[in-house]
Amino acid sequence: IMPDEINRLVLENDVSFLLDLTHAKITAEYHGWDIHEYIRNLPLDRVIEIHINGSGYDKDGFPQDTHQSMEDEDYSLLEWVLKYTNPKIVTLEYNGIESESNETIICSLRKQLNEIQNICNFSET
């Protein structure tokens, strides 16, 4: 989780980096770090893929990668990180939550994919 270690591993092994924004957000929140500062210290020049989705909390209030619908803060974080990266792929990791109907999941999936596409297309210009 420490940016120095991640940078070392990526550089020493001359590999690309998959940035999971939700994992980064949860890591930063759990440790009390600023999410933007945390991400800025990762090997952003090596990012080839970004994973994004909404997050939540478990029954004890612990941050959790729930793969739920993205919220405004998630879209904003994606838009921000695309200013510092040039990924080949942006992947939405969404599967709805247990209480959502199939119709709700399909509608949410369309909304999220459209918003992500708009953000990605805008960042290319």
Side-chain angles (χ1 to χ4, degrees):
I1 65 165
M2 300 305 292
D4 290 346
E5 284 297 307
I6 294 171
N7 277 296
R8 184 185 62 76
L9 288 169
V10 167
L11 294 174
E12 283 181 4
N13 293 288
D14 193 27
V15 294
S16 300
F17 185 57
L18 184 155
L19 175 58
D20 189 310
L21 287 180
T22 305
H23 289 187
K25 185 171 82 169
I26 290 170
T27 298
E29 183 177 343
Y30 179 75
H31 289 282
W33 301 333
D34 176 77
I35 182 61
H36 298 95
E37 187 65 28
Y38 177 65
I39 290 174
R40 271 193 291 265
N41 286 303
L42 295 173
L44 299 180
D45 60 326
R46 296 289 185 117
V47 171
I48 62 162
E49 184 171 351
I50 293 175
H51 286 186
I52 186 76
N53 62 310
S55 61
Y57 297 89
D58 68 12
K59 62 181 171 49
D60 299 319
F62 188 81
Q64 187 175 17
D65 186 359
T66 55
H67 291 188
Q68 66 190 46
S69 294
M70 293 174 63
E71 297 185 17
D72 289 342
E73 70 181 45
D74 303 306
Y75 295 119
S76 295
L77 186 58
L78 175 60
E79 192 170 3
W80 177 83
V81 81
L82 286 173
K83 294 176 184 175
Y84 302 96
T85 59
N86 189 24
K88 295 178 189 223
I89 301 168
V90 174
T91 302
L92 173 63
E93 296 182 309
Y94 169 72
N95 58 356
I97 56 176
E98 195 173 302
S99 62
E100 292 177 322
S101 68
N102 283 342
E103 185 178 318
T104 300
I105 291 170
I106 291 167
C107 181
S108 182
L109 183 58
R110 283 186 184 129
K111 177 184 179 246
Q112 291 175 91
L113 289 172
N114 285 333
E115 186 64 27
I116 291 167
Q117 185 175 17
N118 288 337
I119 291 169
C120 290
N121 288 341
F122 179 77
S123 72
E124 290 177 356
T125 59

